Amino acid sequence: MTHESRDAIESLFQENRLFAPPQDFGRGSRMTPELYRALLAEAESDYEGFWARLARAELEWLTPFTRTLDASGAPHYRWFDDGTLNVSANCLDRHIAERGAKPAIIFEGEPGDVRVLTYRELLAEVSRFANALRAHGVKMGDRVIIYMPMVPEAVIAMQACARIGAIHSVVFGGFSSDSLKDRITDAQAVAVITADGGHRGGRVIGLKAICDKVLGDCPSVRTVFVLRRAGNEISWQEGRDVWWHDAVAGLSDSCPPVAVGAEHPLYLLYTSGSTGRPKGIQHSSAGYLLGTILTMRWVFDIREDDVYWCTADIGWVTGHSYVAYGPLACGATILMYEGAPMIPDPGRFWRLCERHGVTIFYTAPTAIRALKKHGDDYPRAYNLDKLRLLGSVGEPINPEAWMWFYRVIGQERCPIVDTWWQTETGVHMIAPIPGLTATKPGSCTRPLPGIAADVVDAAGEPVKAPDEGGFLVIKRPWPAMLRTIWGDAERYRETYWARFENRYYVSGDSARRDADGYFWVMGRVDDVLKVSGHRLGTMEIESVLGAHPQVAEAAVVGRPDDVTGEAICAFIVPRAALADSAARSVLGSDLRRWVADKIGPIARPAEIRFASNLPKTRSGKIMRRLLRAIARHETIDEDVSTLENPDIVRELKAPPE
Ligand code: WTA
């Protein structure tokens, strides 16, 4: 038996293994069994009172709120909406008296350069840059695009926007110029904050050059702030472009935080859905920040002396809630790393953990699987004794990866928190409480206090039997939830609420709950893929492929992949028949490059198959189920004779190029 197949079978048998919380962990942990029970009971008996009490305890308000939940515009819920506060003041100013000299950010660049910013220094940098934004006319409510490498200035830029009430929208540095343009245009951003370049994978990614490709088509942008990071040559547009260091020169390092309403949008973050166009998920200020703080305490058990490392890029929601906001609001020390995990070798993450004394390590299953592939010697070469807690996010973690993470990285001492949540939920929703919840490899365990998660059937009724699959829904609004889709309230209602007549928030995931009440996320019910933990819509990729001059029709499906979770498989009908395999291979490479150019390298198909048509029903609908089976090399046992074109299946099954 091969190693792989033995692993797979093992996972089937071992799904019910239960790992009791390590005894040592509980000592000194923020959550005691009594507190946990009390929180659950309080949320149950007085839902609004529960959130109101926590919002008063955890946030520093400029004007206290008197209304907790306003459901009058449901499903556009409003929380704490007559209160005012400032998110940046809640993350920085509040710590200065007690923790001014404590490191807020420990940064390591891919080339190995290290920089430490204390809370006092971070506040000064944020204030100075906030003043620079203002000096360039950025006002409360303006949208600002952040397109940056993973350097401290990325967080400084986000916090500076929050300080003056500007709404940021971070675009992942791996997205292409077209994706950037779509986001700038949808948000009607007045400014872009970028860098000359960033170090990634041993190369310099020229971010400013990518911006330059499209800024000519973005008339709303008046100012482009450029951080000098990689020192690469860039072009310059006088009057529009300004160096970060010039913009802050001579400005004061004090900038009084403005009071914004609790519901003031803190940021927009674009994410893929089941239709072609990414949607701008809009988050609030107070409710969102409250959620990040509570989950930092409950799920990460954040303590004063922790060195906390979340490997997510600030381009994703994880980099917002668990890098730029939550940990700072809790006064924690965070590690930020600019580069790729394999540079210069697959030991980089573990070397970073050792060098900076990381105690909490939060990453994605795809990274765990990629590092596991390189064996145990890399992690064993480093001292990982300071680690006390491990976390996982982004996709279901398979039991083999979980076990490796647990044994080799956590040395059977660290609990693993498998956290289920989404860009839309803002913060963790279903996750273990380390030190309290016994874990099962592959399950995100139970909903957090105040989170009414359930699994319902097609009629919206809770599934009756344990392990019955259904729609994962949230039955009550929660403070950190998205508020709407920027500029498209109708799409917000349609996407998240319409399925069950506005009764529940519909996550788009399917799940089952076992006899112990543990949730097992099974996957998406819509056409959203998770490739290396990144969320991509199949329709988005299809519409890009369909726009290629040589493509008549395209269909995209996912297939399981050992490392990336899912891999993209594209079926292409070319406009003109391709003469031979050489012609197919030329067009194949061209299409891969095309997708990388239009969306970003993460969306590049792993496999492309050509055929003279796609399998369709008599009414012309593409049979995606069949395409998925073909992509997975499964035997097709369903009757294909009802297809419009049954012969096409044989053609599509031909080995890919
Ligand atoms: C998936 C990432 C299983 C899920 C924070 C969800 C997970 C989507 C988990 C959201 C997990 C995230 N177990 N599946 N622990 N975490 N997912 O918006 O399908 O990038 O709907 O947010 O990732 O992806 P997003």
Side-chain angles (χ1 to χ4, degrees), residues 366 395 529-536 564-568 602:
T366 183
E395 52 179 312
L529 302 182
K530 274 301 189 118
V531 181
S532 298
H534 301 150
R535 188 162 153 181
L536 295 165
T564 60
E566 282 185 290
I568 298 167
I602 48 170

Side-chain angles (χ1 to χ4, degrees), residues 416-438:
I416 296 181
V417 288
D418 176 357
T419 58
W420 179 85
W421 59 296
Q422 310 177 290
T423 304
E424 293 87 342
T425 68
V427 299
H428 302 157
M429 302 293 279
I430 310 179
I433 306 292
L436 287 187
T437 314

